């Protein structure tokens, strides 16, 4: 799985309506009297530039975590990566997206797809955590 860093996000996006009812997977007709409030995607995704950036995911090694090839992930580099977090990292200068596992003094970068083996960080490897994935965004557009 590879990662393409797209760059930082800027704050102060346009506010969009948030409807107060649950939306079924059918075709509801959202009426203006159901608007609870207006929110921005900045608020929804807790974007506080310059600590947040976008990355595009390539590959299928994280699909069981709900991150698919072509998805954008929102990455917060101000968070300390904890055991179990999905991170964007550089392992020996290779950009990757994996789940961070810390076991005793061992660091393992786990895929979320059984087709891909875990990557153990060995002595002499250079691991740099570039940030913690907080959200993913998928394009459901027509091909």
């Amino acid at each position: 799985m590879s990662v393409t860093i797209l760059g930082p996000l800027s704050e102060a996006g346009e506010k969009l309506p948030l409807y107060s009812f649950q939306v079924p997977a059918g075709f509801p007709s959202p009426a203006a009297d159901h608007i609870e409030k207006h929110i921005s995607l900045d608020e929804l995704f807790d974007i506080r530039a310059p600590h947040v950036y976008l990355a595009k995911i390539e590959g299928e090694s994280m699909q069981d975590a709900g991150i698919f090839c072509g998805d954008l992930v929102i990455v917060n580099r101000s968070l300390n990566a904890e055991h179990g977090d999905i991170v964007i990292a550089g392992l020996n200068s290779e950009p990757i997206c994996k789940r961070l596992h810390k076991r005793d003094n061992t660091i393992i970068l786990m895929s979320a797809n059984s087709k891909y083996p875990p990557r153990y960080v060995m002595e002499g490897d250079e691991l740099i955590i570039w940030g913690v994935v907080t959200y993913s965004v998928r394009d459901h557009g027509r091909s």
Side-chain angles (χ1 to χ4, degrees), residues 81 85-89 96-100 109 129 131-133:
D85 285 343
I86 296 174
V87 299
I88 301 296
I96 57 174
C97 177
K98 300 289 181 201
R99 188 172 302 276
L100 179 66
L109 298 170
I129 304 294
V132 175
V133 173

Side-chain angles (χ1 to χ4, degrees), residues 11 16 22 40 78-80 94 102 105 115 126 128:
E11 294 187 71
L16 303 171
Q22 298 293 320
S40 72
S78 71
L79 298 175
N80 289 324
E94 176 192 353
K102 296 178 182 179
N105 290 329
K115 294 180 185 176
E126 180 184 37
I128 301 171

Side-chain angles (χ1 to χ4, degrees), residues 89-96 119-122 124-128:
L91 179 61
N92 300 323
S93 299
E94 176 192 353
I96 57 174
R119 298 191 59 183
Y120 289 81
V121 179
M122 309 301 283
D125 283 340
E126 180 184 37
L127 175 67
I128 301 171

